[in-house]
Amino acid sequence: MHFSLFRPEGLDNMEIHQSSNGELEVKRNNIGRLFREAQQNILYLNKQRLVAVEEMNKANREKQLLLDRIERLEAEKQAGVGEVEELDKANREKQLLLDRIERLEAEKQAGAGKDKLSLCWELLLRIDSMVLSGIISAGEASDFRRLVMDHKVIVADAFNEILQKKDAELLAELLHFSDRSKKSGFHVIHICTEMSPLVSVGSLASYVTGLSCALQRKGHLVEVILPKYAIMDLDEVQGLQEIKAGFYSYFNGQQHGNRIWTGVVSGIGVSFIEPLYYSSFFSREKVYGYSDDFERFTYFSRASLDYIVKSGKQPDVLHIHNWETAIVGPLFWDIYVNQGLGGTRILLTCHDFDSQCHEQPDKLSLCGLDPPRLHRPDRLQDNTKTHLVNILKGGIVYSNKVVIASSMNSKGRIISSFSHELKPTLSIHQDKLVIAPNGFDKSTWDPSKDKFLPENYSAKDMKGKTVCKVALQQHLALSGSASSILVGCFFAELSEIDMENLKAVVQNATRRGVQVILVETSKNSITNTKLESFQDLLKDQNVRFINRLGEAISHLVFAGSDIILCQSFHEPDLQVPLKALKYGAAPIAVTSTDDISRNVVDYDYERTKFSHFISSNFGKMSLSQALDEIENNPSRWNRKILAAMAMDFSWDAECCDVHVSAYTAIKKL
């Protein structure tokens, strides 16, 4: 019997009255707390909106000032007193500012800023509603609110599609998300040298950001530690602030001071390490390419580990990248594992094996390692230059798992053909090697939601793609016909392309009435000149050249094209073929018939899903063969395109799954 439902004998009216007053007081306190929490959330969200509005207003004010300046310079030029160089500089500044405004407008329209906060606020209001309806208690509401405000970006992505569901379903998702955040998620810290959009030299930058965001969307806690470069774009950091506490790290026999800065980038918590005594290490014009790169990145790697220990972090995984932070592996196991990190494991990602860092063994002592202990064949001694140590080799030997970023090559082919003298090491440690593909940001690149397109479309309804093609033709003054085959060509480095072969490929296509758009994505002026002269050489009314690629036109080219020519399926970041597949355009590699076999994987052992799909559908196909199939077997071609659009090759798919499996495996060691 549940005695709490009945009034026990002897309880007089006064006691009942006092009990009622007590319950009312508790309810008043709960309601007061609800309003205080709601007010705090409103103030926070409004502050964020005001910041976004002010940034847009500031950009527009700068635009007007620059336009006035250009108008003055144009007038001076006409009068013969102006400097052409200054006018050119002003026009370049204008273009950069217009690109910035375009990005801000895109964020405003696409919901990159304000709408995520609005989604969070909508979820907070639903929580209020569930409290008032008696579905959850005030205490549970407080916990859920704290969860939402602590994980704003992740929550916005996770709940975007289910906010319209019933309270019971929404509550189940909230409980599930809360459980994942507390129990099942990994705590991963990337120690790396690049992160998009802050500092980007190669494919590492987009990899770190894309994978981190995908992991957080699935309930894992991810943070990043970076050097604080002088060239870094800190405008992309939200809430940047310096930690007002002394922090020292060991290097070259002494403890040296550092400043630590923190902020949020793309929803990821980021810490920046700024050396004081060695201030020149990261105050340079480039990220890499200096004679003291070993010292620079070894200092950063050791400082990162010192920071993790002194801040009390106990991550499940330290995720390191390339040779620049590979020294973390031996440092961790020789020095740090017994400093409160007994449950932490090491995962190394190799984005390529071209750069490995060979150094004199005695330099290892700079960061506190013992050179004689490590200069051995089974540890850091280089396989060919045995008098040197190989830092990347050390990372492979001392990591629990090694992820090789390669969308097309198999593990076997990488070990045998692309390991650059590391074949013996990779062969010994092949059981710890896994292959992971690159991905792309499907929240930005999705034709069914793309705000840059005149009409959206999907694999279930392709009418919008025809609208996009016509819009692209009109924009570039091409003859407008939806029946024309449109080929977009994206190129970053023409130095790697056989220009005569490219010219022949394009000319053969235009003779068949195909329209071709050449898009230059590099900021290299030499590349610009090459493409411009290439276009002049063709002198064809069906060819257009784009050398200033804004965000909107970039999306429209993918959406309006039937085929996207790309440099290779092996390009490091692989963004072009991945986006092409998503937008219903076939990715075709620009190679001669004799070279096509180079782009097709010839090993079945441990290949990615992307590799299987490309090899089965577009990998062996030249542009002329693709055109033949479109003309002679359109139904078969359309089935291929629709199948490609239905595949998920984003960061959230295979790339994320491979890493979660790797994290799971090494936590069991």
Side-chain angles (χ1 to χ4, degrees):
M1 181 179 294
H2 298 285
F3 291 99
S4 59
L5 298 177
F6 300 91
R7 178 167 67 90
E9 293 293 330
L11 183 66
D12 59 23
N13 291 333
M14 180 62 71
E15 289 173 318
I16 294 173
H17 180 69
Q18 290 173 342
S19 175
S20 299
N21 286 342
E23 291 175 0
L24 287 172
E25 186 63 28
V26 169
K27 290 180 179 179
R28 289 194 190 99
N29 290 337
N30 286 340
I31 292 171
R33 183 171 59 184
L34 289 174
F35 277 112
R36 285 193 298 274
E37 290 173 351
Q39 287 173 335
Q40 290 172 353
N41 291 330
I42 291 170
L43 289 171
Y44 174 83
L45 295 169
N46 283 337
K47 181 180 178 181
Q48 294 295 97
R49 291 190 181 99
L50 288 172
V51 169
V53 170
E54 178 57 32
E55 186 178 359
M56 178 65 76
N57 291 338
K58 179 182 177 183
N60 280 312
R61 287 195 298 271
E62 290 176 10
K63 173 187 172 184
Q64 189 56 51
L65 289 171
L66 193 56
L67 290 175
D68 293 342
R69 179 182 163 201
I70 291 172
E71 185 178 343
R72 175 179 58 79
L73 290 170
E74 286 282 7
E76 291 177 357
K77 180 183 176 183
Q78 295 296 326
V81 297
E83 291 288 341
V84 174
E85 184 178 346
E86 187 180 356
L87 180 59
D88 289 341
K89 179 182 178 183
N91 277 311
R92 288 194 298 272
E93 291 176 7
K94 172 188 173 185
Q95 186 58 48
L96 290 172
L97 189 58
L98 290 175
D99 290 343
R100 179 181 162 202
I101 292 173
E102 184 180 67
R103 176 179 59 79
L104 291 170
E105 286 285 1
E107 290 178 354
K108 181 180 176 183
Q109 293 298 321
K114 176 182 174 181
D115 282 357
K116 285 191 183 297
L117 294 169
S118 298
L119 284 167
C120 287
W121 183 238
E122 188 175 347
L123 186 54
L124 290 168
L125 289 173
R126 287 289 297 277
I127 292 170
D128 290 346
S129 173
M130 286 190 277
V131 175
L132 295 173
S133 302
I135 297 174
I136 58 176
S137 68
E140 290 171 325
S142 294
D143 291 338
F144 288 142
R145 286 195 190 86
R146 194 173 301 111
L147 182 72
V148 172
M149 298 310 294
D150 287 348
H151 302 83
K152 292 177 288 297
V153 174
I154 313 170
V155 167
D157 288 329
F159 289 84
N160 186 20
E161 303 294 333
I162 62 170
L163 275 171
Q164 305 307 316
K165 291 189 176 182
K166 295 179 180 179
D167 284 343
E169 294 174 281
L170 183 58
L171 177 58
E173 287 294 332
L174 275 168
L175 289 168
H176 181 55
F177 186 87
S178 179
D179 288 341
R180 283 190 302 163
S181 299
K182 293 176 183 176
K183 299 175 184 178
S184 63
F186 290 109
H187 180 193
V188 180
I189 299 180
H190 289 274
I191 303 176
C192 54
T193 55
E194 297 179 40
M195 181 185 186
S196 177
L198 298 179
V199 55
S200 178
V201 178
S203 58
L204 170 60
S206 59
Y207 195 94
V208 169
T209 304
L211 173 62
S212 297
C213 291
L215 286 167
Q216 286 209 153
R217 281 191 287 269
K218 296 191 178 184
H220 306 285
L221 176 62
V222 185
E223 54 185 305
V224 175
I225 303 178
L226 287 167
K228 190 173 183 293
Y229 301 102
I231 60 171
M232 189 176 286
D233 184 5
L234 294 177
D235 289 341
E236 300 290 345
V237 184
Q238 293 179 326
L240 180 66
Q241 60 180 338
E242 181 183 355
I243 296 178
K244 300 297 182 181
F247 165 64
Y248 292 84
S249 61
Y250 176 89
F251 192 75
N252 197 16
Q254 297 182 43
Q255 295 288 331
H256 297 283
N258 304 273
R259 286 195 181 99
I260 300 295
W261 302 75
T262 61
V264 178
V265 179
S266 301
I268 308 297
V270 183
S271 299
F272 305 94
I273 295 179
E274 180 183 11
L276 296 178
Y277 181 78
Y278 290 100
S279 59
S280 66
F281 274 176
F282 304 111
S283 60
R284 305 177 186 180
E285 294 181 355
K286 299 185 299 181
V287 174
Y288 312 117
Y290 298 99
S291 59
D292 62 347
D293 276 357
F294 171 79
E295 289 85 347
R296 297 169 65 223
F297 295 115
T298 299
Y299 180 97
F300 165 68
S301 297
R302 170 93 196 215
S304 297
L305 287 166
D306 282 330
Y307 170 61
I308 289 168
V309 169
K310 291 174 184 177
S311 60
K313 298 177 187 291
Q314 294 182 317
D316 297 296
V317 179
L318 291 179
H319 193 149
I320 56 180
H321 300 263
N322 294 337
W323 80 257
E324 286 83 3
T325 54
I327 200 72
V328 166
L331 277 170
F332 176 82
W333 292 111
D334 281 9
I335 299 174
Y336 288 91
V337 68
N338 294 321
Q339 297 186 31
L341 297 175
T344 300
R345 297 294 177 262
I346 306 293
L347 185 141
L348 166 69
T349 294
C350 294
H351 295 266
D352 64 64
F353 294 99
D354 294 339
S355 182
Q356 300 176 18
C357 188
H358 300 89
E359 278 294 347
Q360 296 294 332
D362 59 358
K363 281 195 173 184
L364 294 173
S365 62
L366 289 171
C367 60
L369 292 171
D370 182 6
R373 186 171 180 276
L374 296 176
H375 188 216
R376 291 169 34 176
D378 61 336
R379 297 184 182 177
L380 270 67
Q381 185 181 49
D382 189 66
N383 296 330
T384 55
K385 302 171 184 176
T386 55
H387 64 291
L388 300 176
V389 290
N390 184 317
I391 305 307
L392 184 59
K393 175 183 174 179
I396 295 168
V397 171
Y398 279 85
S399 293
N400 300 105
K401 279 285 184 183
V402 178
V403 173
I404 301 174
S406 177
S407 294
M408 288 297 292
N409 288 317
S410 66
K411 182 198 288 190
R413 190 175 189 191
I414 289 169
I415 293 173
S416 64
S417 304
F418 300 107
S419 54
H420 295 275
E421 311 301 334
L422 280 174
K423 181 177 179 180
T425 304
L426 294 176
S427 297
I428 291 170
H429 295 274
Q430 62 180 310
D431 288 344
K432 68 168 71 168
L433 305 181
V434 293
I435 307 297
N438 285 274
F440 70 98
D441 182 3
K442 67 179 181 181
S443 65
T444 303
W445 294 91
D446 182 348
S448 68
K449 303 174 183 177
D450 195 328
K451 302 298 183 181
F452 290 111
L453 303 184
E455 186 170 323
N456 295 121
Y457 62 94
S458 67
K460 296 180 179 179
D461 184 0
M462 293 288 283
K463 292 192 294 293
K465 186 166 178 67
T466 302
V467 175
C468 292
K469 176 188 280 191
V470 173
L472 180 59
Q473 289 169 325
Q474 291 174 349
H475 179 78
L476 297 175
L478 288 165
S479 59
S481 172
S483 61
S484 298
I485 298 175
L486 193 57
V487 177
C489 311
F490 285 84
F491 303 108
E493 295 298 332
L494 287 184
S495 60
E496 300 176 3
I497 296 176
D498 182 342
M499 293 297 290
E500 288 303 313
N501 179 54
L502 177 60
K503 176 183 173 183
V505 168
V506 173
Q507 284 179 325
N508 288 337
T510 55
R511 287 193 196 103
R512 301 174 65 165
V514 174
Q515 297 173 335
V516 179
I517 302 169
L518 300 170
V519 181
E520 185 272 321
T521 60
S522 172
K523 297 178 181 178
N524 188 330
S525 58
I526 297 175
T527 304
N528 272 336
T529 304
K530 281 188 175 182
L531 269 179
E532 287 169 354
S533 62
F534 179 63
Q535 186 195 27
D536 291 340
L537 187 63
L538 288 173
K539 295 181 180 179
D540 193 308
Q541 63 178 1
N542 283 331
V543 177
R544 294 291 183 273
F545 170 55
I546 302 174
N547 68 341
R548 288 191 178 275
L549 189 64
E551 190 76 6
I553 188 63
S554 175
H555 285 243
L556 189 58
V557 170
F558 278 104
S561 297
D562 300 291
I563 294 171
I564 295 290
L565 279 181
C566 47
Q567 287 177 235
S568 167
F569 295 128
H570 294 282
E571 63 182 51
D573 59 8
L574 210 73
Q575 294 293 293
V576 170
L578 289 172
K579 293 171 184 175
L581 291 170
K582 187 66 177 177
Y583 279 68
I588 302 295
V590 181
T591 50
S592 65
T593 305
D594 293 337
D595 290 332
I596 287 176
S597 60
R598 297 179 189 174
N599 289 305
V600 181
V601 176
D602 54 357
Y603 289 82
D604 265 337
Y605 180 51
E606 294 194 41
R607 295 164 55 187
T608 64
K609 295 176 183 177
F610 174 80
S611 173
H612 279 288
F613 184 83
I614 286 293
S615 299
S616 302
N617 291 279
F618 306 110
K620 300 178 182 179
M621 190 175 286
S622 67
L623 178 58
S624 60
Q625 290 171 327
L627 296 174
D628 288 341
E629 186 166 318
I630 292 175
E631 293 172 357
N632 301 326
N633 199 340
S635 59
R636 179 184 175 186
W637 179 264
N638 288 335
R639 285 197 298 272
K640 283 185 180 181
I641 295 299
L642 295 177
M645 293 180 69
M647 300 291 286
D648 185 1
F649 295 121
S650 69
W651 296 112
D652 298 70
E654 187 177 7
C655 179
C656 186
D657 293 342
V658 167
H659 283 85
V660 171
S661 296
Y663 298 155
T664 303
I666 62 180
K667 281 299 290 180
K668 293 177 180 178
L669 296 176

